[in-house]
Amino acid sequence: MDRIQNFINGAFSDPISNQWIDNYQPATGKVYCEIPASKAEDIDRAYQAAESAFESWSNLKSSERFHHMMNVANGIRERMEEFAQAESKDNGKPVSLARAVDIPRAISNFEFYASAATQFASESHYTEGLGINYTLRRPLGVVGCISPWNLPLYLFSWKIAPALAAGNTVVAKPSEITPMTAFLLSEVLRDVGFPKGVLNIVHGLGPDAGESICMHPGIKAISFTGGTNTGKRIIEKAGTQFKKLSLELGGKNPNLIFADCDYDEMLKTTVQSSFANQGQICLCGSRILVEDSIYEKFKADFVSKVSKMEVGNPALDTTKMGAVVSKPHMEKILSYIEIAKSEGGEVLCGGRRAVLPGELSEGYYVEPTVIENLDQECRTNQEEIFGPVVTIDRFATPAEALQKANATPYGLAASVWTNDLKRAHRVAEALHTGIVWVNCWLQRDLRTPFGGVKNSGVGREGGFEAMQFFTEPKNVCIKY
Ligand code: NAD
């Protein structure tokens, strides 16, 4: 059985306990490798390495940090196809998606923040009659980065890159469900001669390795992306130690579709925003709200398109919908479809596990599913399913659309489809979300603030927001 290892202080190592976790391939449902079941003692080793490396890394010129981070970006690019194949095998996502989105974006994350290191500046405030205040922004020290399984390398690098660019050293843990591209990243770090101890990658379970990162007294900040309940637990554990926390959590995003939109473009994008990555993107729209006058047409066209989507082997270039990430996750998704039925929902298409032939017969496949006839207060519309399941509902007025859109405890993202400029601005402002897309979806400019309100998180990633999170501001007041 193949095994991957931790990467601590520039070298590969086994977990101290010599305990291992099975890693499953979602396409086949079979175990294909083992990963370290790291514990607090491994996290402490990683911390010691990061702590030793902090002084030299934080004192490098930003142009030198730029150089090291660009080497990492180039190292991933050179092995692009291998990374894409590994992401697909580990996660179940179509390899074409990993090639087009996940791995290029991970490269961009390192490139973007390599540049940001050289562009970051701090503020000054002139005070009449006194003099000037200026803000020093220094790195925090050793920071922890914890990421989920849905966009494995994409989100892992989205945290690590700004932490490094700002001059911190890092202890990072990818999801135990999708560790493989983080392991390949360790190989790149070794091969490009990335300074030892600056980025340490430790594998293991959330309640063990993850919680040990959050509880380590020397780790100054936690950047976490994952579920809302895990976020709550991290606040309870790490918050009491006064660590800085950035929490990117769950979502239950609405799409608001007005009758005056560009219909064909809306329809095509709504299929994507519902089912890309098997619906396992925190930004997927899972509650589709459609203006009365086009509801029946939308329903017929949408269901017709979704019914034609084929679930297939993620390793094939032609596959658009692959496997969901794990057996428990597949069972959770299927259980929500049953909940929807018990709440009076009518399944318009999909609704079942998809069974593929041959060696894929034990894989974790779910048919893309559209459900109607549910109010916004039911569990199906209130709780995050995080799979290929959407509901459709109607509204008569913009006020009703907004009332329905805002009626969940989540507030990550929303999409609005309209050609009425004034309405687009008004609705965007009134939505209780951190991100609004108008007439598009998932368009990302890496300089913009990224994050949610309500139970979708605390803080913002992206651009200089992340650099500010990973630095401590100190005001210096000078009297003239
Ligand atoms: P999860 O919360 O189960 O796990 C995320 C990470 O946290 C994993 O690395 C896991 O090992 C670790 N972890 C688990 N328990 C922990 C603990 N007690 N202490 C410290 N770390 C712990 O989430 P998941 O199932 O991997 O990911 C799916 C969730 O992530 C969904 O809710 C989705 O909406 C959310 N998500 C949010 C965003 C965003 O930007 N807001 C992006 C992607 C995914």
Side-chain angles (χ1 to χ4, degrees), residues 142-148 155-164 168-175 199-202 209-210 213-214 219 221-225 246 461 469-470:
V142 179
V143 299
C145 296
I146 302 177
S147 59
L155 289 175
F156 196 55
S157 53
W158 181 233
K159 308 187 157 307
I160 288 168
L164 295 174
N168 302 280
T169 54
V170 176
V171 176
K173 191 192 89 62
S175 169
L199 172 53
N200 304 279
I201 298 177
V202 186
I213 294 176
C214 298
I219 293 182
I222 304 292
S223 174
F224 168 82
T225 299
S246 166
E461 297 185 319
F469 173 75
F470 283 118

Side-chain angles (χ1 to χ4, degrees), residues 114-126:
S115 303
T118 68
Q119 305 296 317
F120 189 46
S122 61
E123 312 85 51
S124 74
H125 300 85
Y126 172 68

Side-chain angles (χ1 to χ4, degrees), residues 402 423-432 436:
L402 276 168
R423 179 160 60 199
H425 285 297
R426 273 198 301 266
V427 170
E429 192 179 330
L431 281 163
H432 301 166
V436 179

Side-chain angles (χ1 to χ4, degrees), residues 146-150 155 173-176 205-207 210-211 214 224-227 230 233-234 248-251 282 384 386 412 450:
I146 302 177
S147 59
W149 49 256
N150 65 321
L155 289 175
K173 191 192 89 62
S175 169
E176 61 274 29
L205 297 173
E211 202 150 311
C214 298
F224 168 82
T225 299
T230 315
R233 187 160 172 85
I234 290 176
E248 300 293 338
L249 310 176
C282 55
E384 188 184 40
F386 213 52
L412 187 53
F450 179 92

Side-chain angles (χ1 to χ4, degrees), residues 88-100:
S88 169
K89 184 170 183 181
D90 218 21
N91 172 278
K93 68 178 66 210
V95 68
S96 56
L97 185 69
R99 242 183 236 136

